[in-house]
């Protein structure tokens, strides 16, 4: 997952004052659930780095520290995983001179510094901080066909995108229902009381607009990457209902967008404002119900066909990259906004364990290291603003919390 090595001029390994190498190359204790070992790094190796002070190398008890290049995807992945664990404060120190050219993890002041691959470091995190989410990628079956492995990657991608879209729609609908309830409690006599603020409506517009963009990109991905070959590999008409539902959802989504725009032009708290708000709530509930049913049908009727589709593609010679992740990578690559500007938004629609699954997919399917680092950095920066209890208990409340804190 990317190259974390420092620049050539910094590739030399630091030595201790006595001339002995600073790295203890004896295997560290094996992390729970895996047989791979990591390298223990001496405190001198960190303290001697020009980017890390001696005080930081000593660390504060209870603080998890990650040292590594700012352009290293492994360092950013470990940092994001620790934020989702939300078990201890996390401090990241950019250090181009990190030992072995790879990120270093220190779980507490009393623990040794550990250096290894992403999976090795994540296993140490799970071993130290028990409980969900498990941040170590699950073991994948070794004896499945290439077609089955590729199909499962794509199916997992689609299912997780469905879950995020469902939860964001649920969050928007719940917010509108809350606004309707506040408006209904408005005092009927005496001074006028405005209980719904303009900032709430603007935030609602952004929330729904982002959700709509992700859903439209998801639909376009299915229509361009998946549906044509599903149609050829199956029987005529298998996709008629799915395509019909895609076409029916778009006018509903646009109508809701126009309702929110209308709210922004009306006097807050007026009877017309409340009427449009109630109508918006009804429309959102209808879209939410139809979307859930549509996703269920796709997962029941179409995703089981993907293995046959991939087998057909390979037999026809239409698979240039035969790796298991190539198909999922192609699907992910068509959703540019979802996997760039809107990536933190998309991820807040997933429960922590689902987020770890999607993060694993992203790290395995994204070949451009700079783009991967950009995605992970944007997510880490948003999670750092969040209350850990919100991350674990309610993903859409997490997004609303971050939305309120946005400038």
């Amino acid at each position: 997952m990317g190259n974390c090595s420092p620049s050539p001029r910094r590739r030399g390994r630091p030595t201790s004052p006595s001339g002995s190498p600073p790295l203890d190359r004896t295997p560290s204790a094996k992390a729970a659930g895996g047989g791979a070992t990591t390298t223990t790094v001496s405190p001198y190796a960190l303290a001697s780095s020009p980017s890390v002070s001696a005080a930081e190398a000593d660390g504060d008890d209870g603080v998890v520290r990650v040292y590594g290049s700012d352009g290293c995807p492994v360092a950013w992945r470990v940092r994001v995983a620790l934020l989702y664990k939300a078990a201890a404060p996390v401090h990241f120190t950019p250090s181009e001179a990190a030992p072995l050219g790879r990120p270093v993890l220190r779980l507490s002041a009393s623990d040794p510094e550990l250096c290894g691959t992403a999976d090795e470091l994540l296993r140490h995190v799970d071993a130290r901080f028990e409980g969900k989410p498990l941040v170590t990628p699950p073991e994948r079956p070794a004896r499945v066909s290439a077609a089955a492995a590729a199909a499962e990657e794509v199916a997992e991608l689609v299912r997780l995108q469905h879950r995020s879209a469902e939860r964001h729609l649920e969050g928007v609908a719940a917010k509108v229902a809350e606004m309707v309830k506040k408006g209904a409690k408005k005092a009927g006599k005496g001074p006028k009381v405005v209980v719904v603020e303009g900032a709430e409506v603007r935030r609602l517009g952004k929330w729904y607009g982002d959700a709509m963009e992700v859903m439209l990109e998801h639909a376009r991905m299915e229509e361009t990457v998946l549906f044509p070959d599903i149609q050829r590999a199956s029987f005529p008409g298998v996709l008629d209902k799915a395509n019909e539902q895609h076409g029916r959802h778009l006018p509903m989504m646009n109508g809701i967008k126009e309702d929110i725009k209308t709210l922004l032009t009306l006097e807050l708290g007026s009877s017309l404002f409340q009427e449009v708000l109630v109508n918006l709530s009804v429309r959102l509930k209808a879209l939410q119900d139809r979307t859930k049913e549509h996703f269920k049908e796709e997962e029941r009727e179409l995703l089981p066909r993907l293995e046959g589709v991939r087998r057909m593609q390979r037999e026809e010679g239409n698979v240039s990259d035969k790796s298991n992740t190539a198909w999922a990578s192609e699907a992910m690559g068509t959703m540019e906004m979802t996997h760039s500007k809107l990536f933190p938004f998309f991820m807040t629609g997933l429960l922590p364990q689902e987020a770890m699954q999607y993060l694993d997919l992203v790290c395995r399917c994204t070949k451009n290291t700079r783009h991967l680092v950009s995605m992970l950095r944007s997510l880490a920066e948003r999670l750092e603003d969040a209350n850990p209890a919100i991350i674990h208990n309610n993903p859409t409340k997490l997004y609303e919390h971050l939305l309120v804190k946005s400038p």
Side-chain angles (χ1 to χ4, degrees), residues 155-224:
E156 185 178 16
L157 180 83
V158 171
R159 284 192 293 264
L160 291 172
Q161 290 179 0
H162 285 175
R163 300 293 83 77
S164 178
E166 283 176 350
R167 292 200 187 95
H168 276 301
L169 275 183
E170 180 184 346
V172 172
K175 185 61 182 176
V176 172
E178 177 188 317
M179 292 165 69
V180 169
K181 198 172 182 181
K182 286 165 68 176
K185 290 181 178 179
K186 185 182 67 174
K189 296 181 180 180
K192 186 176 181 179
V193 179
V194 177
V195 292
V196 176
E197 299 178 356
E200 285 185 90
V201 182
R202 288 190 292 274
R203 287 195 295 265
L204 177 73
K206 176 167 174 49
W207 192 349
Y208 178 75
D210 289 349
M212 183 176 175
E213 183 64 39
V214 169
M215 290 175 67
L216 290 176
E217 278 204 328
H218 172 80
R220 286 194 292 268
M221 177 275 290
E222 291 181 330
E223 291 166 3
T224 57

Side-chain angles (χ1 to χ4, degrees), residues 157-158 161-162 209-228 242-243 246-247 250 253-254 294-295 298 330-339 342:
L157 180 83
V158 171
Q161 290 179 0
H162 285 175
D210 289 349
M212 183 176 175
E213 183 64 39
V214 169
M215 290 175 67
L216 290 176
E217 278 204 328
H218 172 80
R220 286 194 292 268
M221 177 275 290
E222 291 181 330
E223 291 166 3
T224 57
V225 178
L226 303 183
F227 285 4
N243 283 319
H246 280 194
L250 184 58
M253 294 167 74
N254 285 331
H294 170 64
F295 287 165
E298 282 191 347
E330 179 188 1
M332 200 174 285
T334 64
M335 301 177 65
E336 294 182 8
M337 286 290 287
T338 302
H339 298 104
L342 294 179

Side-chain angles (χ1 to χ4, degrees), residues 1 72-80 343 359 362-363 371-381:
M1 184 183 68
C72 173
V74 175
W76 282 103
R77 181 175 181 180
V78 171
R79 184 178 177 182
V80 168
F343 185 60
L359 199 64
V362 165
C363 290
H371 180 54
L372 177 58
V373 166
S374 176
M375 292 168 65
L376 296 174
R377 179 189 286 115
S378 66
L379 179 58
E381 289 171 350

Side-chain angles (χ1 to χ4, degrees), residues 10-25:
R10 287 184 170 176
R11 199 177 292 276
R13 186 160 58 102
T15 57
S16 66
S18 62
S20 60
L23 301 181
D24 176 5
R25 293 188 178 275

